[in-house]
Amino acid sequence: MSQSNQPQPPEPQNTPAQVMKDYLIITLGTVIMSLGVYFFMFPNNFTTGGVDGLAIILGSILPVSRSTLMLVFNWGLLVVGFLVLGKDFGIRTAYESVLYVGIVWVLEHFFPMSGPFTDEPLLELFFAIGLPAVGVTLLFNVGASSGGMDIVAMLIRKFTNLNISTALMMANILVVISGGMVFGLKTGLLCIMGMTIKALAVDGLIERINNHKYFNIITDQPEMVCDFIVKDLNRSATIVNGTGAFTHDQKAIILSVMSGYQAMRLRQFVHRADPKAFITITNTSEIIGHNFRDRKV
């Protein structure tokens, strides 16, 4: 008796060009994050959590530079990550972690900072939070992480049943409180504000970068609309047959997802091609599928 094998869908593969693009984005994100930490976070003693905040606190107490402490913490966690987590640890996290510490070390030795750029702590806090938030967002968008506390999160997930987000939040709060005790109440309050703003900024930036428009078009001209979507916008669509609840007329429902600029063009075209068409447009940032998020990260 012959046995038929069902074809299995191929695993999505990253092309060399895509891998190079991802690592360029990781490098750019790491550089931006390093500039924010070194030029704005370090001089103002902004301990907004993480390994960076711990290095700022201990660097003010111990006769060791902050970049050296970051090197010890990050590379120590890096080694533990490889030994304990193995292949699940992620080469991208390792690359980012080494690059991050290396950039901060170079900046500390070739561009020493004797104090903040300005005497406006809120302005300094804006850049101390904004630049790392942009950098972290770029990393998350290609499936990388910033190392440090992210490695601790992986270890917590592997060996305990603790809620990772809660555990990391508590750890960051302890770092912030310690920073306030060492550097004073004013700095501590700024750090609390900065930690909160950073969390909101990263979430908002990630959603903004991945934001697309989801179309639901009820029209009498489905062929014309779909031709425009495929040939002019280079996107695809799905046609569903529907029946009006009030009129009982048969209608075509077109479903499609595209960028904001493409959405503007489609909206204008549908208005010209079928003025009676009914369109709903929804913002969406979580899209998994061909030409959107089909890479394994």
Side-chain angles (χ1 to χ4, degrees):
M1 182 173 64
S2 62
Q3 185 178 13
S4 63
N5 294 323
Q6 296 293 329
Q8 298 295 321
E11 287 287 331
Q13 298 293 327
N14 289 339
T15 64
Q18 183 63 58
V19 172
M20 182 176 294
K21 177 183 175 182
D22 286 353
Y23 275 91
L24 287 175
I25 293 175
I26 293 173
T27 302
L28 176 61
T30 304
V31 170
I32 294 173
M33 184 170 64
S34 303
L35 294 177
V37 169
Y38 179 74
F39 286 114
F40 296 99
M41 192 172 290
F42 277 10
N44 291 279
N45 299 320
F46 291 147
T47 57
T48 56
V51 170
D52 306 332
L54 193 58
I56 291 173
I57 295 172
L58 294 179
S60 65
I61 300 174
L62 303 175
V64 183
S65 69
R66 292 169 175 178
S67 64
T68 301
L69 289 170
M70 284 181 61
L71 186 148
V72 172
F73 293 148
N74 278 281
W75 287 11
L77 288 170
L78 194 64
V79 172
V80 173
F82 272 118
L83 293 177
V84 177
L85 301 173
K87 64 179 182 179
D88 294 330
F89 175 66
I91 191 66
R92 296 184 180 192
T93 298
Y95 170 76
E96 192 283 334
S97 185
V98 172
L99 180 63
Y100 179 36
V101 173
I103 292 174
V104 173
W105 186 87
V106 169
L107 289 174
E108 188 173 62
H109 284 76
F110 291 96
F111 300 96
M113 294 285 292
S114 59
F117 282 122
T118 72
D119 57 355
E120 295 290 340
L122 284 178
L123 180 61
E124 299 273 335
L125 181 65
F126 174 82
F127 287 97
I129 297 303
L131 291 176
V134 172
V136 169
T137 300
L138 292 174
L139 297 177
F140 284 174
N141 208 46
V142 294
S145 72
S146 56
M149 285 296 184
D150 292 332
I151 301 175
V152 176
M154 297 177 191
L155 295 171
I156 292 174
R157 180 174 58 191
K158 183 176 179 67
F159 293 109
T160 72
N161 294 322
L162 294 176
N163 183 293
I164 298 176
S165 60
T166 301
L168 290 180
M169 182 182 69
M170 294 303 297
N172 286 330
I173 289 175
L174 288 176
V175 172
V176 171
I177 293 174
S178 300
M181 295 173 62
V182 173
F183 302 114
L185 180 60
K186 179 180 178 180
T187 300
L189 292 175
L190 286 170
C191 292
I192 292 174
M193 182 173 67
M195 182 179 66
T196 305
I197 294 174
K198 182 180 178 181
L200 296 175
V202 170
D203 288 343
L205 287 171
I206 290 175
E207 185 172 352
R208 183 66 179 174
I209 288 177
N210 294 318
N211 190 47
H212 285 76
K213 303 292 184 178
Y214 170 67
F215 273 80
N216 192 313
I217 306 170
I218 303 174
T219 177
D220 293 323
Q221 304 292 338
E223 295 83 4
M224 188 181 301
V225 174
C226 286
D227 282 346
F228 180 80
I229 293 174
V230 173
K231 296 178 181 178
D232 290 72
L233 301 181
N234 195 30
R235 301 243 56 101
S236 187
T238 299
I239 301 176
V240 180
N241 294 322
T243 303
F246 182 73
T247 64
H248 302 290
D249 292 339
Q250 296 296 312
K251 295 283 186 178
I253 305 172
I254 300 174
L255 312 177
S256 187
V257 180
M258 60 195 62
S259 69
Y261 175 70
Q262 292 169 331
M264 178 187 66
R265 293 183 59 193
L266 178 58
R267 186 171 65 245
Q268 293 172 346
F269 176 82
V270 173
H271 181 71
R272 294 194 305 268
D274 184 6
K276 295 183 179 180
F278 185 83
I279 308 173
T280 57
I281 308 173
T282 307
N283 289 325
T284 179
S285 59
E286 286 295 329
I287 310 166
I288 301 173
H290 183 62
N291 285 335
F292 285 100
R293 189 172 294 177
D294 54 350
R295 293 180 288 114
K296 294 178 71 176
V297 294

